[in-house]
Structure formats: structure tokens, C-alpha cells
Amino acid sequence: MNSSTTVSAELGLRLVVPDRTTVPLLAGLEYAADDPYAIRMAFYVGDDEPVEWIFARELLTVGIVRKVGDGDVEVWPGEDDGTLNIALSSPFGDALFEVPLSPLADFLHRTYQAVPAGEETEFIDIDAELENLLWPS
């Protein structure tokens, strides 16, 4: 597989607001083989620029079966087995999202087809990463 491979998806999810009602949102997911440990999720909120968070692919994968994460991001299975909960915390506030499990699991499956688990290091250009660290542009 070539390191320029990307996997993307859009999915509808729900923001859980304090009174436990939900607000539908759209999120874009992107995975790039040249950054094999990360998944970027852009939350589209109104007409503003999307709010982007970067998640460890493994965090979302493990969160399907059990609660995982500490600090800014926590992920755990929903009570109805059809959703995944993602809680985000930042200096600007906290947010809880209910994500439909089926399209997220399909997206994750496609990322593992692009870069199998345990083979991530084969997709990283170590020389380029070192150059970026030592001589930032």
C-alpha cells in the first residue's frame, strides 16, 4: 500500500447537551497512511470553520469494546450497543458526542485495510520526520 493512501468518511452524530437532549451534527473523518496512528475528525458546527480533533486510531478502536482514554478524550460503548460515546474536554469547554457505531466501525475497518495493525511504522518516513524535528520549515 502506498503511503499517500487516505481513507475518509462523513457521518452524522449527536451532540449531547446538558439537559440530555441531542443536537445532530455532521463530522468528517480522515485517515492518512503517512500518519498511521492518527485519525482526524472535523466537527461541522454551524457556518464556522470545522472544529478538528486528532484521535489515536487505537483509542477509537478499543473504545468500541470498553471505556478508554484519560484527560482530554474518553471513548466508551453506548448503552444501546448501536453508538459510541466520545467525550472531549478542552479549556473552552466539554462536549459529549454519540456516534453511530456501524459507519464508524466501517471507517476503522477501511483504515486497517490500508495500514494493518502492527505495520504502522512501515508507513512512516523516519528521515522526513527527523528532518522536520531538526530543521523545521
Side-chain angles (χ1 to χ4, degrees):
M1 188 66 57
N2 114 27
S3 66
S4 65
T5 298
T6 60
V7 177
S8 61
E10 281 194 344
L11 55 99
L13 47 87
R14 294 181 299 276
L15 171 65
V16 180
V17 293
D19 66 2
R20 298 299 299 166
T21 59
T22 60
V23 176
L25 289 179
L26 186 65
L29 298 166
E30 186 171 290
Y31 176 80
D34 60 0
D35 189 7
Y37 294 103
I39 290 176
R40 298 180 186 290
M41 187 178 290
F43 297 93
Y44 297 96
V45 288
D47 295 330
D48 297 333
E49 286 293 311
V51 176
E52 186 176 271
W53 279 72
I54 300 173
F55 299 92
R57 177 171 73 161
E58 185 177 7
L59 181 82
L60 292 176
T61 303
V62 173
I64 291 173
V65 294
R66 66 177 171 83
K67 188 167 188 171
V68 65
D70 192 18
D72 295 348
V73 180
E74 291 183 66
V75 182
W76 67 96
E79 292 179 17
D80 65 3
D81 291 335
T83 60
L84 182 73
N85 293 305
I86 299 177
L88 305 177
S89 180
S90 79
F92 303 106
D94 301 326
L96 173 61
F97 297 94
E98 292 178 345
V99 180
L101 189 54
S102 183
L104 179 64
D106 176 62
F107 170 78
L108 287 169
H109 178 71
R110 291 187 294 129
T111 72
Y112 286 105
Q113 288 178 320
V115 179
E119 295 182 18
E120 291 90 352
T121 57
E122 295 178 29
F123 290 81
I124 296 174
D125 183 344
I126 297 296
D127 293 332
E129 293 297 326
L130 283 172
E131 188 172 317
N132 286 337
L133 286 171
L134 298 173
W135 299 282
S137 45

